[in-house]
Amino acid sequence: MHVKKVLVIDIGGSNIKLFVTGRPGRLKIPSGPALTPRRLVQEVKKATVDWRYDVVSIGYPGPVVRGKIAAEPVNLGSGWVRFNFARSLGRPVRLINDAAMQALGSYRGRSMLFLGLGTGLGTTLVRGGVVVPLEAAHLPYRNGKSYEEFIGEAGMLRMGRKKWGEHVFIVVDLMLAAFVADYAVLGGGNVRLLEELPPRTRRGKNANAFRGGERLWVNDIVCV
Amino acid sequence: MHVKKVLVIDIGGSNIKLFVTGRPGRLKIPSGPALTPRRLVQEVKKATVDWRYDVVSIGYPGPVVRGKIAAEPVNLGSGWVRFNFARSLGRPVRLINDAAMQALGSYRGRSMLFLGLGTGLGTTLVRGGVVVPLEAAHLPYRNGKSYEEFIGEAGMLRMGRKKWGEHVFIVVDLMLAAFVADYAVLGGGNVRLLEELPPRTRRGKNANAFRGGERLWVNDIVCV
């Protein structure tokens, strides 16, 4: 059987990371507020001119609904909604939210909650191979403040690392129960500030985004 | 094509409701704290002796994980975990949590949040045909109290109908955003106490449990 070679494009605010099945490591090309999808495709084609791949997965930094970009990105150029990536890349393309792609790559079966501890707070549930992006960060948590206001970047700066870490433990415990998850994976830039991890929790790895992009082409994976 | 005839068994604390594809209405047989699964099967066989069906769906009042009963029920007899329904009923059987079955029956596409307003507060998400039972009722909502303590039965008795109704509006709005749902369906015994419904919300119907049980046998429906 021919195993599909997947080109994975992980679009961030300052970098775009490129991976392809069977090639170790990754390639970084610059992103930024002027990046349009047309420009992205040009840069990707140039950077991967001697790569071989059958299909493409794109991790997009914004909402993706039923496989389609649902809103323009906050930190990039415009023209993303309705852009035809399959036509301009000449390959079948699957789109997924970037955090959901990392969550999918971190998945090891059963029911997993992925929390992205960065500027904001990303929340993605993966159950039985089904990816369920959530927006639980803005629910109230304490004193009229949201989860994100406590365990996002602003909360960490306000409370200090130690207190912030204590709230990460409490929130993981609450959310594991609420979302009926067996374990949590913590990703995002601030995970390194945690010296210990809450029970039933693992650290995510950036490389998992690549695995997530590849898994999008496995038939029993669905993103809802 | 032969359409499968589904026997749907909806197990409640005081009644068991029986439906079958193509037969209007339902049959009720008594339930209660002494009900064991063996007894259930005997009663169901007796009540449906002249019904024809190919497969069975069971709505179970407790946690069902990956199609299996995960804990004994609170208000019934014992022996439910690991009981072999398929063998004793002589048909293929699919199990689902009772609230999830009603949620599935209320589903009209896209992303739906089902809230069961009863003694407690049931929360089920259905997205793209995938049923995702949640346990969000116990998350903190206000003043250290949970959603359930506000919009469950106890909250309604404490605050009175009017104030309770106002909180239902607020909670629906918060949860539609958190669970990225396009609309909400409100089920459970206390929905009748709401004179108006929140925006983007419909009332559930009990008969939807039957439709949910039938849909469990449609191939693109998954419960995770």
Side-chain angles (χ1 to χ4, degrees):
Chain A
M1 195 188 88
H2 172 67
V3 177
K4 276 196 188 81
K5 277 186 169 252
V6 185
L7 171 66
V8 182
I9 306 175
D10 188 8
I11 307 173
S14 45
N15 285 295
I16 299 151
K17 291 174 204 150
L18 303 172
F19 313 82
V20 71
T21 307
R23 184 185 185 280
R26 64 185 180 184
L27 207 66
K28 269 190 188 180
I29 57 179
S31 175
L35 188 78
T36 61
R38 189 176 304 275
R39 182 73 189 276
L40 171 83
V41 168
Q42 285 170 353
E43 296 291 331
V44 166
K45 281 185 172 168
K46 204 158 60 176
T48 63
V49 69
D50 54 355
W51 292 13
R52 301 188 55 171
Y53 52 90
D54 308 299
V55 293
V56 181
S57 292
I58 300 179
Y60 172 80
V64 176
V65 177
R66 288 176 285 281
K68 294 194 189 310
I69 293 179
E72 295 294 324
V74 177
N75 302 314
L76 306 175
S78 62
W80 295 80
V81 177
R82 279 187 292 269
F83 184 83
N84 193 328
F85 289 97
R87 190 167 58 195
S88 49
L89 287 162
R91 309 278 199 294
V93 171
R94 289 191 180 162
L95 284 152
I96 185 172
N97 167 266
D98 57 347
M101 188 163 83
Q102 216 199 328
L104 178 56
S106 305
Y107 182 62
R108 308 265 172 89
R110 296 185 301 156
S111 180
M112 178 195 81
L113 174 68
F114 184 88
L115 294 182
L117 298 170
T119 312
L121 170 65
T123 52
T124 306
L125 182 65
V126 186
R127 255 204 231 166
V130 177
V131 185
V132 186
L134 300 172
E135 295 286 348
H138 305 292
L139 284 175
Y141 167 50
R142 242 176 227 206
N143 309 328
K145 283 199 167 67
S146 70
Y147 292 102
E148 184 167 292
E149 287 171 296
F150 266 83
I151 69 169
E153 180 88 2
M156 198 266 293
L157 296 172
R158 188 179 73 244
M159 296 182 291
R161 259 193 213 203
K162 187 164 176 295
K163 201 80 197 153
W164 170 82
E166 287 168 20
H167 283 287
V168 171
F169 271 59
I170 297 170
V171 171
V172 165
D173 185 54
L174 280 172
M175 290 196 173
L176 282 175
F179 302 131
V180 200
D182 299 300
Y183 59 102
V185 175
L186 303 183
N190 286 339
V191 183
R192 62 189 164 76
L193 303 178
L194 284 175
E195 286 171 19
E196 284 180 75
L197 292 182
R200 300 196 281 156
T201 299
R202 292 191 283 110
R203 268 174 225 274
K205 292 178 201 153
N206 284 334
N208 283 340
F210 171 41
R211 191 191 294 183
E214 276 193 310
R215 280 187 179 163
L216 265 190
W217 290 92
V218 172
N219 281 337
D220 53 351
I221 291 292
V222 184
C223 185
V224 293
Chain B
M1 196 188 90
H2 172 68
V3 176
K4 277 196 188 83
K5 278 186 169 252
V6 186
L7 171 67
V8 181
I9 306 175
D10 188 9
I11 308 172
S14 46
N15 285 295
I16 300 152
K17 290 173 204 150
L18 303 172
F19 313 81
V20 71
T21 307
R23 183 186 185 280
R26 63 187 182 184
L27 208 65
K28 269 191 187 181
I29 58 179
S31 175
L35 188 79
T36 61
R38 189 176 305 276
R39 182 72 189 276
L40 170 82
V41 168
Q42 285 168 352
E43 297 293 330
V44 166
K45 282 185 173 170
K46 206 160 54 177
T48 63
V49 69
D50 53 356
W51 292 13
R52 302 188 55 172
Y53 52 91
D54 309 300
V55 294
V56 182
S57 293
I58 301 179
Y60 172 80
V64 175
V65 178
R66 287 177 286 282
K68 293 191 190 314
I69 292 178
E72 293 295 324
V74 177
N75 302 315
L76 305 174
S78 61
W80 296 79
V81 177
R82 279 188 292 271
F83 185 84
N84 193 329
F85 289 96
R87 191 168 56 197
S88 49
L89 286 163
R91 308 280 197 293
V93 171
R94 290 191 180 161
L95 283 153
I96 186 171
N97 167 267
D98 57 348
M101 187 162 85
Q102 216 200 328
L104 178 56
S106 307
Y107 182 61
R108 308 264 172 92
R110 297 185 302 154
S111 180
M112 178 196 80
L113 174 67
F114 184 88
L115 294 181
L117 298 171
T119 312
L121 171 65
T123 52
T124 306
L125 182 65
V126 186
R127 253 203 234 165
V130 177
V131 186
V132 187
L134 300 171
E135 293 287 347
H138 306 292
L139 284 175
Y141 166 51
R142 243 177 227 208
N143 309 327
K145 282 198 166 67
S146 69
Y147 292 102
E148 184 167 293
E149 287 171 296
F150 268 81
I151 68 169
E153 178 88 4
M156 196 266 294
L157 296 173
R158 190 179 71 245
M159 295 183 291
R161 263 193 208 201
K162 187 163 177 294
K163 202 80 197 153
W164 170 82
E166 288 168 20
H167 283 288
V168 171
F169 271 59
I170 298 170
V171 171
V172 165
D173 185 56
L174 281 171
M175 290 195 174
L176 281 174
F179 301 131
V180 200
D182 299 299
Y183 59 101
V185 175
L186 303 183
N190 285 339
V191 183
R192 62 187 163 79
L193 302 179
L194 285 175
E195 285 170 21
E196 284 181 76
L197 291 181
R200 299 198 280 155
T201 300
R202 291 190 285 109
R203 270 173 223 273
K205 292 180 201 150
N206 284 333
N208 283 339
F210 170 42
R211 190 192 295 184
E214 275 192 309
R215 281 188 178 162
L216 265 189
W217 291 93
V218 173
N219 281 336
D220 53 350
I221 291 292
V222 185
C223 184
V224 295

